[in-house]
Amino acid sequence: MQSHSPTTPFGRRSLTLAHVASQIGASARPPEKVVHKWNIFHAICTARPRLGVSERSLSVLNALLTFHPETALTGEDDLIVFPSNDKLTLRAHGMPASTLRRHLAVLVDAGLIIRRDSPNGKRYARKGSAGEIELAFGFDLSPLVVRSEEFEHLAADIEAEARALKLVRERITLCRRDIAKMIATGIEEGVPTRRGGQGPADWQEVHAALRAMLAQIPRTATRQQLEPIADELAQLADGVLNLLQAHIKSKNPSANESQSERHIQNSNTDAPIDLEPSLQKGRAGRAEPKLQPSRVAEASYPLGMVLSACPDIVDYAKGGISNWRDFLATTAVVRSMLGISPSAWEEAQTVLGETQAAVVVACILQRGTAIRSAGGYLRGLTRKAEVGEFSLGPILMSQINSRLHEKRRA
């Protein structure tokens, strides 16, 4: 193996102290050390954000590794590869020469490779009489051996952080689903939310607290940002569960059994909450129109498309949503939860039809805190529909596009 003292780059390329440090570190690599070049490369790919290199820079490093004939990189072998720009470009999937040079400089600055330039800047090797390489000029892969433990530790830290982030996201999803279903059960069963003058005023207040917590979640959230939100959701879930448990204890078993048999469509969803109390005066005796299953078939949009645009409503379904009947039954609970008055709901069903009105409610739920008054918003859409200025299709497509955009940014 040839020995190297710190060398300077050819031409106008500058020498930095970081380059000198990389060269000194490479010269001190232990001869007995052996690493698997592709295992180290995978660790570097995982640790890429911490190393400050791009995916395209790593594709150049991958190409350089293919020019070393052995899979194992050892501390006693000469680890200099000397491909021409033409050959390196081919193995880098046709990357332009100017781009190739830029990414090679990035790898050198990151300390992943060392540039060993010849007197004229060319890459080549001089062989002895026996055919062995005596002197080579090109790119030294020694830093991969010297820093292998560092790369592996960085990769392990990033993988551990990714697992922790996944766990806290799962925790938020479970809490969100549990709270939504417990709220729906509380409304259906007529569970009071105040005991002894304490607690939230009604289920709408509980639901508003849930939406406010969910609104705090950034589009690209870190684990540190999500953990406090997950703790708040867990506390809210415990509080809602305590309300249900207290209600169960206050009822005798026979009453509980009879109440559990009621279907969600037959529950009184008008009494608990209302965002429009002034509109409800004088209409307390008006019964909410019953859903007509025969009109479900009139839907002009596939149920799958609606659920793709408004997936949050599934959280409030007792047994999932597999057909339009389930969807309509769930929106009957959500409508009351959002504070939409019976009069606004009746007008929307009359003008839009029960299915389209239910889809609009699902869209309102999906938009969360962006809509301050769900009842007022629904009345506004109903007025537009009366004069032919409302179409459900653009609203659904806007919801779908918004969700796709969030997924790309996440």
Side-chain angles (χ1 to χ4, degrees):
M1 180 183 71
Q2 65 186 83
S3 60
H4 294 284
S5 59
T7 57
T8 57
F10 174 78
R12 293 180 294 178
R13 290 189 290 267
S14 60
L15 178 70
T16 67
L17 291 178
H19 296 165
V20 175
S22 295
Q23 294 181 29
I24 295 175
S27 63
R29 69 183 191 269
E32 70 279 1
K33 191 172 184 179
V34 180
V35 299
H36 192 294
K37 68 178 181 181
W38 297 121
N39 290 346
I40 293 301
F41 178 73
H42 292 157
I44 292 173
C45 289
T46 303
R48 180 187 62 79
R50 304 273 186 93
L51 297 174
V53 294
S54 66
E55 295 90 341
R56 300 201 72 188
S57 297
L58 292 183
S59 68
V60 175
L61 178 60
N62 179 82
L64 286 173
L65 288 173
T66 63
F67 286 99
H68 188 273
E70 303 296 333
T71 300
L73 303 179
T74 69
E76 60 182 359
D77 290 339
D78 195 351
L79 302 179
I80 296 178
V81 293
F82 40 91
S84 65
N85 279 344
D86 291 340
K87 292 183 178 180
L88 191 53
T89 295
L90 289 175
R91 296 201 186 182
H93 308 291
M95 183 180 293
S98 59
T99 305
L100 181 68
R101 288 193 293 270
R102 184 170 68 253
H103 289 296
L104 285 170
V106 170
L107 293 174
V108 172
D109 292 339
L112 300 179
I113 60 174
I114 297 173
R115 193 186 298 273
R116 304 287 188 183
D117 284 348
S118 66
N120 62 0
K122 302 291 184 180
R123 300 177 203 132
Y124 58 87
R126 296 190 182 279
K127 296 183 179 181
S129 57
E132 74 283 1
I133 295 177
E134 292 182 341
L135 186 62
F137 297 99
F139 296 105
D140 193 348
L141 304 177
S142 298
L144 303 184
V145 178
V146 176
R147 302 176 61 188
S148 60
E149 290 87 357
E150 175 190 348
F151 298 143
E152 290 170 348
H153 290 159
L154 286 175
D157 289 343
I158 290 179
E159 289 175 346
E161 182 67 22
R163 284 193 298 270
L165 178 60
K166 183 178 180 181
L167 289 175
V168 72
R169 285 187 180 277
E170 290 177 348
R171 183 183 173 199
I172 289 176
T173 299
L174 291 174
C175 285
R176 172 180 178 172
R177 185 183 69 195
D178 293 344
I179 295 170
K181 290 187 181 294
M182 286 191 292
I183 290 176
T185 299
I187 293 176
E188 178 194 357
E189 300 293 340
V191 178
T193 57
R194 280 187 179 271
R195 293 189 178 277
Q198 298 182 350
D202 48 38
W203 286 110
Q204 179 190 339
E205 185 176 322
V206 179
H207 181 256
L210 170 63
R211 303 305 296 183
M213 292 177 187
L214 296 178
Q216 300 175 30
I217 301 177
R219 288 186 175 180
T220 54
T222 63
R223 176 180 58 84
Q224 290 77 11
Q225 292 172 316
L226 291 179
E227 284 182 341
I229 299 174
D231 292 338
E232 291 180 6
L233 287 171
Q235 292 177 4
L236 180 60
D238 292 340
V240 176
L241 180 60
N242 289 336
L243 288 174
L244 300 183
Q245 290 176 340
H247 180 70
I248 292 172
K249 292 178 181 178
S250 67
K251 295 289 184 178
N252 57 61
S254 60
N256 286 335
E257 183 177 354
S258 63
Q259 287 182 354
S260 65
E261 293 298 327
R262 292 185 301 167
H263 191 273
I264 191 170
Q265 289 177 304
N266 297 325
S267 62
N268 179 11
T269 58
D270 299 339
I273 50 179
D274 195 347
L275 275 178
E276 303 174 283
S278 61
L279 296 174
Q280 194 178 9
K281 291 180 179 179
R283 300 176 180 177
R286 180 180 298 179
E288 186 177 356
K290 294 184 179 180
L291 300 176
Q292 300 296 328
S294 61
R295 299 185 58 184
V296 173
E298 298 174 6
S300 57
Y301 297 96
L303 179 59
M305 176 182 178
V306 174
L307 296 180
S308 176
C310 311
D312 285 1
I313 196 169
V314 179
D315 293 340
Y316 299 86
K318 295 189 68 174
I321 298 178
S322 58
N323 52 52
W324 282 107
R325 188 187 301 274
D326 296 338
F327 183 82
L328 293 174
T330 305
T331 54
V333 175
V334 171
R335 188 277 305 167
S336 180
M337 189 184 307
L338 292 175
I340 299 174
S341 66
S343 61
W345 179 235
E346 181 180 353
E347 291 173 7
Q349 286 185 312
T350 301
V351 176
L352 299 173
E354 63 181 358
T355 302
Q356 286 204 90
V359 174
V360 171
V361 169
C363 291
I364 293 174
L365 174 69
Q366 190 66 36
R367 295 190 62 181
T369 55
I371 298 177
R372 294 185 178 181
S373 174
Y377 187 82
L378 181 61
R379 286 184 184 274
L381 293 182
T382 302
R383 297 290 177 266
K384 288 185 177 181
E386 286 178 335
V387 295
E389 296 179 356
F390 170 76
S391 177
L392 185 57
I395 294 180
L396 289 175
M397 292 308 301
S398 176
Q399 293 283 108
I400 292 174
N401 291 334
S402 177
R403 284 179 49 75
L404 290 176
H405 181 67
E406 290 180 2
K407 287 182 178 180
R408 293 191 189 101
R409 294 190 59 178

mmCIF file of all heavy atoms in Angstrom, residues 89-119:
data_model
loop_
_atom_site.group_PDB
_atom_site.id
_atom_site.type_symbol
_atom_site.label_atom_id
_atom_site.label_comp_id
_atom_site.label_asym_id
_atom_site.label_seq_id
_atom_site.Cartn_x
_atom_site.Cartn_y
_atom_site.Cartn_z
ATOM 1 N N THR A 89 -19.267 9.039 -15.522
ATOM 2 C CA THR A 89 -20.554 9.572 -15.980
ATOM 3 C C THR A 89 -21.503 8.440 -16.368
ATOM 4 O O THR A 89 -22.695 8.472 -16.049
ATOM 5 C CB THR A 89 -20.343 10.523 -17.166
ATOM 6 O OG1 THR A 89 -19.604 11.669 -16.728
ATOM 7 C CG2 THR A 89 -21.669 10.979 -17.744
ATOM 8 N N LEU A 90 -20.971 7.430 -17.050
ATOM 9 C CA LEU A 90 -21.812 6.299 -17.449
ATOM 10 C C LEU A 90 -22.376 5.567 -16.241
ATOM 11 O O LEU A 90 -23.562 5.211 -16.210
ATOM 12 C CB LEU A 90 -21.011 5.332 -18.322
ATOM 13 C CG LEU A 90 -20.669 5.817 -19.738
ATOM 14 C CD1 LEU A 90 -19.778 4.807 -20.443
ATOM 15 C CD2 LEU A 90 -21.947 6.047 -20.531
ATOM 16 N N ARG A 91 -21.544 5.339 -15.244
ATOM 17 C CA ARG A 91 -22.014 4.617 -14.056
ATOM 18 C C ARG A 91 -22.877 5.490 -13.143
ATOM 19 O O ARG A 91 -23.544 4.973 -12.255
ATOM 20 C CB ARG A 91 -20.827 4.054 -13.282
ATOM 21 C CG ARG A 91 -20.062 3.016 -14.073
ATOM 22 C CD ARG A 91 -19.246 2.111 -13.198
ATOM 23 N NE ARG A 91 -18.414 1.214 -13.992
ATOM 24 C CZ ARG A 91 -17.611 0.286 -13.488
ATOM 25 N NH1 ARG A 91 -17.537 0.148 -12.162
ATOM 26 N NH2 ARG A 91 -16.875 -0.475 -14.276
ATOM 27 N N ALA A 92 -22.835 6.805 -13.366
ATOM 28 C CA ALA A 92 -23.705 7.721 -12.628
ATOM 29 C C ALA A 92 -24.956 8.022 -13.443
ATOM 30 O O ALA A 92 -25.589 9.064 -13.265
ATOM 31 C CB ALA A 92 -22.973 9.009 -12.287
ATOM 32 N N HIS A 93 -25.308 7.090 -14.340
ATOM 33 C CA HIS A 93 -26.547 7.168 -15.123
ATOM 34 C C HIS A 93 -26.599 8.393 -16.032
ATOM 35 O O HIS A 93 -27.627 9.061 -16.148
ATOM 36 C CB HIS A 93 -27.761 7.152 -14.198
ATOM 37 C CG HIS A 93 -27.755 6.021 -13.220
ATOM 38 N ND1 HIS A 93 -27.925 4.706 -13.598
ATOM 39 C CD2 HIS A 93 -27.559 6.008 -11.868
ATOM 40 C CE1 HIS A 93 -27.845 3.928 -12.522
ATOM 41 N NE2 HIS A 93 -27.624 4.696 -11.474
ATOM 42 N N GLY A 94 -25.448 8.688 -16.655
ATOM 43 C CA GLY A 94 -25.431 9.763 -17.641
ATOM 44 C C GLY A 94 -25.427 11.154 -17.062
ATOM 45 O O GLY A 94 -25.822 12.113 -17.749
ATOM 46 N N MET A 95 -24.980 11.321 -15.846
ATOM 47 C CA MET A 95 -24.936 12.643 -15.213
ATOM 48 C C MET A 95 -23.993 13.562 -15.986
ATOM 49 O O MET A 95 -22.880 13.163 -16.338
ATOM 50 C CB MET A 95 -24.456 12.507 -13.765
ATOM 51 C CG MET A 95 -24.434 13.819 -12.987
ATOM 52 S SD MET A 95 -23.866 13.578 -11.278
ATOM 53 C CE MET A 95 -25.211 12.615 -10.593
ATOM 54 N N PRO A 96 -24.401 14.799 -16.288
ATOM 55 C CA PRO A 96 -23.524 15.719 -17.022
ATOM 56 C C PRO A 96 -22.210 15.951 -16.288
ATOM 57 O O PRO A 96 -22.142 15.891 -15.056
ATOM 58 C CB PRO A 96 -24.353 17.010 -17.094
ATOM 59 C CG PRO A 96 -25.770 16.573 -16.933
ATOM 60 C CD PRO A 96 -25.732 15.376 -16.032
ATOM 61 N N ALA A 97 -21.160 16.230 -17.040
ATOM 62 C CA ALA A 97 -19.829 16.385 -16.455
ATOM 63 C C ALA A 97 -19.781 17.522 -15.439
ATOM 64 O O ALA A 97 -19.139 17.406 -14.388
ATOM 65 C CB ALA A 97 -18.805 16.619 -17.563
ATOM 66 N N SER A 98 -20.450 18.634 -15.741
ATOM 67 C CA SER A 98 -20.437 19.763 -14.798
ATOM 68 C C SER A 98 -21.130 19.393 -13.491
ATOM 69 O O SER A 98 -20.653 19.747 -12.396
ATOM 70 C CB SER A 98 -21.114 20.976 -15.433
ATOM 71 O OG SER A 98 -22.458 20.655 -15.791
ATOM 72 N N THR A 99 -22.222 18.667 -13.585
ATOM 73 C CA THR A 99 -22.936 18.218 -12.381
ATOM 74 C C THR A 99 -22.100 17.197 -11.616
ATOM 75 O O THR A 99 -22.057 17.204 -10.383
ATOM 76 C CB THR A 99 -24.290 17.599 -12.762
ATOM 77 O OG1 THR A 99 -25.026 18.537 -13.543
ATOM 78 C CG2 THR A 99 -25.092 17.236 -11.530
ATOM 79 N N LEU A 100 -21.432 16.332 -12.365
ATOM 80 C CA LEU A 100 -20.576 15.318 -11.738
ATOM 81 C C LEU A 100 -19.474 15.979 -10.917
ATOM 82 O O LEU A 100 -19.220 15.596 -9.765
ATOM 83 C CB LEU A 100 -19.976 14.421 -12.816
ATOM 84 C CG LEU A 100 -19.067 13.285 -12.334
ATOM 85 C CD1 LEU A 100 -19.872 12.247 -11.573
ATOM 86 C CD2 LEU A 100 -18.353 12.652 -13.516
ATOM 87 N N ARG A 101 -18.829 16.986 -11.484
ATOM 88 C CA ARG A 101 -17.754 17.681 -10.762
ATOM 89 C C ARG A 101 -18.284 18.354 -9.499
ATOM 90 O O ARG A 101 -17.611 18.347 -8.461
ATOM 91 C CB ARG A 101 -17.096 18.708 -11.680
ATOM 92 C CG ARG A 101 -16.234 18.102 -12.776
ATOM 93 C CD ARG A 101 -15.375 19.164 -13.450
ATOM 94 N NE ARG A 101 -16.215 20.113 -14.197
ATOM 95 C CZ ARG A 101 -16.558 19.958 -15.480
ATOM 96 N NH1 ARG A 101 -16.138 18.891 -16.150
ATOM 97 N NH2 ARG A 101 -17.303 20.852 -16.077
ATOM 98 N N ARG A 102 -19.472 18.911 -9.584
ATOM 99 C CA ARG A 102 -20.040 19.585 -8.417
ATOM 100 C C ARG A 102 -20.318 18.594 -7.285
ATOM 101 O O ARG A 102 -20.024 18.877 -6.117
ATOM 102 C CB ARG A 102 -21.327 20.300 -8.825
ATOM 103 C CG ARG A 102 -21.948 21.123 -7.690
ATOM 104 C CD ARG A 102 -23.083 22.008 -8.160
ATOM 105 N NE ARG A 102 -24.248 21.242 -8.588
ATOM 106 C CZ ARG A 102 -24.629 21.092 -9.842
ATOM 107 N NH1 ARG A 102 -23.905 21.626 -10.820
ATOM 108 N NH2 ARG A 102 -25.714 20.394 -10.147
ATOM 109 N N HIS A 103 -20.851 17.434 -7.615
ATOM 110 C CA HIS A 103 -21.157 16.455 -6.569
ATOM 111 C C HIS A 103 -19.901 15.782 -6.030
ATOM 112 O O HIS A 103 -19.866 15.378 -4.858
ATOM 113 C CB HIS A 103 -22.132 15.418 -7.112
ATOM 114 C CG HIS A 103 -23.511 15.965 -7.320
ATOM 115 N ND1 HIS A 103 -24.291 16.423 -6.283
ATOM 116 C CD2 HIS A 103 -24.248 16.143 -8.451
ATOM 117 C CE1 HIS A 103 -25.453 16.846 -6.755
ATOM 118 N NE2 HIS A 103 -25.453 16.692 -8.066
ATOM 119 N N LEU A 104 -18.870 15.645 -6.855
ATOM 120 C CA LEU A 104 -17.585 15.143 -6.347
ATOM 121 C C LEU A 104 -17.016 16.113 -5.317
ATOM 122 O O LEU A 104 -16.484 15.686 -4.281
ATOM 123 C CB LEU A 104 -16.601 14.954 -7.500
ATOM 124 C CG LEU A 104 -16.839 13.744 -8.409
ATOM 125 C CD1 LEU A 104 -15.946 13.814 -9.640
ATOM 126 C CD2 LEU A 104 -16.594 12.436 -7.656
ATOM 127 N N ALA A 105 -17.155 17.411 -5.584
ATOM 128 C CA ALA A 105 -16.678 18.409 -4.625
ATOM 129 C C ALA A 105 -17.463 18.334 -3.319
ATOM 130 O O ALA A 105 -16.893 18.501 -2.228
ATOM 131 C CB ALA A 105 -16.791 19.811 -5.229
ATOM 132 N N VAL A 106 -18.768 18.049 -3.414
ATOM 133 C CA VAL A 106 -19.588 17.901 -2.203
ATOM 134 C C VAL A 106 -19.107 16.713 -1.374
ATOM 135 O O VAL A 106 -19.002 16.793 -0.138
ATOM 136 C CB VAL A 106 -21.073 17.726 -2.581
ATOM 137 C CG1 VAL A 106 -21.894 17.319 -1.370
ATOM 138 C CG2 VAL A 106 -21.621 19.013 -3.182
ATOM 139 N N LEU A 107 -18.800 15.603 -2.028
ATOM 140 C CA LEU A 107 -18.324 14.417 -1.303
ATOM 141 C C LEU A 107 -16.984 14.676 -0.634
ATOM 142 O O LEU A 107 -16.741 14.199 0.485
ATOM 143 C CB LEU A 107 -18.202 13.238 -2.282
ATOM 144 C CG LEU A 107 -19.521 12.705 -2.871
ATOM 145 C CD1 LEU A 107 -19.238 11.635 -3.921
ATOM 146 C CD2 LEU A 107 -20.421 12.136 -1.783
ATOM 147 N N VAL A 108 -16.128 15.430 -1.317
ATOM 148 C CA VAL A 108 -14.827 15.763 -0.733
ATOM 149 C C VAL A 108 -15.015 16.674 0.477
ATOM 150 O O VAL A 108 -14.417 16.464 1.539
ATOM 151 C CB VAL A 108 -13.917 16.433 -1.786
ATOM 152 C CG1 VAL A 108 -12.629 16.951 -1.127
ATOM 153 C CG2 VAL A 108 -13.566 15.442 -2.891
ATOM 154 N N ASP A 109 -15.851 17.712 0.341
ATOM 155 C CA ASP A 109 -16.072 18.653 1.439
ATOM 156 C C ASP A 109 -16.726 17.971 2.636
ATOM 157 O O ASP A 109 -16.503 18.368 3.785
ATOM 158 C CB ASP A 109 -16.948 19.814 0.966
ATOM 159 C CG ASP A 109 -16.238 20.701 -0.050
ATOM 160 O OD1 ASP A 109 -14.993 20.664 -0.083
ATOM 161 O OD2 ASP A 109 -16.924 21.413 -0.807
ATOM 162 N N ALA A 110 -17.558 16.944 2.393
ATOM 163 C CA ALA A 110 -18.208 16.213 3.485
ATOM 164 C C ALA A 110 -17.274 15.211 4.138
ATOM 165 O O ALA A 110 -17.656 14.580 5.136
ATOM 166 C CB ALA A 110 -19.456 15.503 2.965
ATOM 167 N N GLY A 111 -16.092 15.035 3.603
ATOM 168 C CA GLY A 111 -15.134 14.109 4.184
ATOM 169 C C GLY A 111 -15.422 12.655 3.895
ATOM 170 O O GLY A 111 -14.937 11.769 4.603
ATOM 171 N N LEU A 112 -16.197 12.379 2.840
ATOM 172 C CA LEU A 112 -16.502 10.994 2.483
ATOM 173 C C LEU A 112 -15.447 10.388 1.564
ATOM 174 O O LEU A 112 -15.263 9.169 1.556
ATOM 175 C CB LEU A 112 -17.879 10.916 1.817
ATOM 176 C CG LEU A 112 -19.051 11.396 2.675
ATOM 177 C CD1 LEU A 112 -20.355 11.293 1.903
ATOM 178 C CD2 LEU A 112 -19.136 10.587 3.965
ATOM 179 N N ILE A 113 -14.804 11.213 0.781
ATOM 180 C CA ILE A 113 -13.700 10.775 -0.074
ATOM 181 C C ILE A 113 -12.601 11.823 0.003
ATOM 182 O O ILE A 113 -12.827 12.946 0.470
ATOM 183 C CB ILE A 113 -14.141 10.573 -1.546
ATOM 184 C CG1 ILE A 113 -14.678 11.888 -2.119
ATOM 185 C CG2 ILE A 113 -15.172 9.463 -1.654
ATOM 186 C CD1 ILE A 113 -15.012 11.821 -3.613
ATOM 187 N N ILE A 114 -11.411 11.442 -0.454
ATOM 188 C CA ILE A 114 -10.265 12.351 -0.492
ATOM 189 C C ILE A 114 -9.766 12.441 -1.931
ATOM 190 O O ILE A 114 -9.647 11.427 -2.621
ATOM 191 C CB ILE A 114 -9.127 11.868 0.433
ATOM 192 C CG1 ILE A 114 -9.596 11.864 1.887
ATOM 193 C CG2 ILE A 114 -7.877 12.734 0.270
ATOM 194 C CD1 ILE A 114 -8.593 11.250 2.849
ATOM 195 N N ARG A 115 -9.493 13.642 -2.373
ATOM 196 C CA ARG A 115 -8.999 13.839 -3.725
ATOM 197 C C ARG A 115 -7.472 13.692 -3.720
ATOM 198 O O ARG A 115 -6.768 14.401 -3.001
ATOM 199 C CB ARG A 115 -9.378 15.235 -4.234
ATOM 200 C CG ARG A 115 -9.180 15.432 -5.720
ATOM 201 C CD ARG A 115 -9.432 16.875 -6.098
ATOM 202 N NE ARG A 115 -10.794 17.290 -5.825
ATOM 203 C CZ ARG A 115 -11.801 17.138 -6.676
ATOM 204 N NH1 ARG A 115 -11.584 16.567 -7.848
ATOM 205 N NH2 ARG A 115 -13.009 17.535 -6.360
ATOM 206 N N ARG A 116 -6.975 12.767 -4.518
ATOM 207 C CA ARG A 116 -5.525 12.562 -4.685
ATOM 208 C C ARG A 116 -5.174 12.922 -6.124
ATOM 209 O O ARG A 116 -5.224 12.087 -7.031
ATOM 210 C CB ARG A 116 -5.148 11.110 -4.403
ATOM 211 C CG ARG A 116 -5.563 10.567 -3.043
ATOM 212 C CD ARG A 116 -4.714 11.116 -1.919
ATOM 213 N NE ARG A 116 -4.996 10.441 -0.649
ATOM 214 C CZ ARG A 116 -4.430 10.778 0.498
ATOM 215 N NH1 ARG A 116 -3.581 11.790 0.543
ATOM 216 N NH2 ARG A 116 -4.732 10.133 1.620
ATOM 217 N N ASP A 117 -4.860 14.174 -6.346
ATOM 218 C CA ASP A 117 -4.627 14.649 -7.712
ATOM 219 C C ASP A 117 -3.191 14.403 -8.158
ATOM 220 O O ASP A 117 -2.233 14.542 -7.378
ATOM 221 C CB ASP A 117 -4.937 16.141 -7.815
ATOM 222 C CG ASP A 117 -6.435 16.409 -7.840
ATOM 223 O OD1 ASP A 117 -7.196 15.441 -8.015
ATOM 224 O OD2 ASP A 117 -6.832 17.577 -7.678
ATOM 225 N N SER A 118 -3.073 14.051 -9.419
ATOM 226 C CA SER A 118 -1.756 13.865 -10.036
ATOM 227 C C SER A 118 -1.159 15.234 -10.394
ATOM 228 O O SER A 118 -1.850 16.262 -10.300
ATOM 229 C CB SER A 118 -1.902 13.012 -11.291
ATOM 230 O OG SER A 118 -2.656 13.720 -12.268
ATOM 231 N N PRO A 119 0.082 15.274 -10.840
ATOM 232 C CA PRO A 119 0.684 16.568 -11.222
ATOM 233 C C PRO A 119 -0.091 17.303 -12.319
ATOM 234 O O PRO A 119 -0.127 18.539 -12.329
ATOM 235 C CB PRO A 119 2.080 16.169 -11.700
ATOM 236 C CG PRO A 119 2.394 14.931 -10.921
ATOM 237 C CD PRO A 119 1.106 14.206 -10.816
#
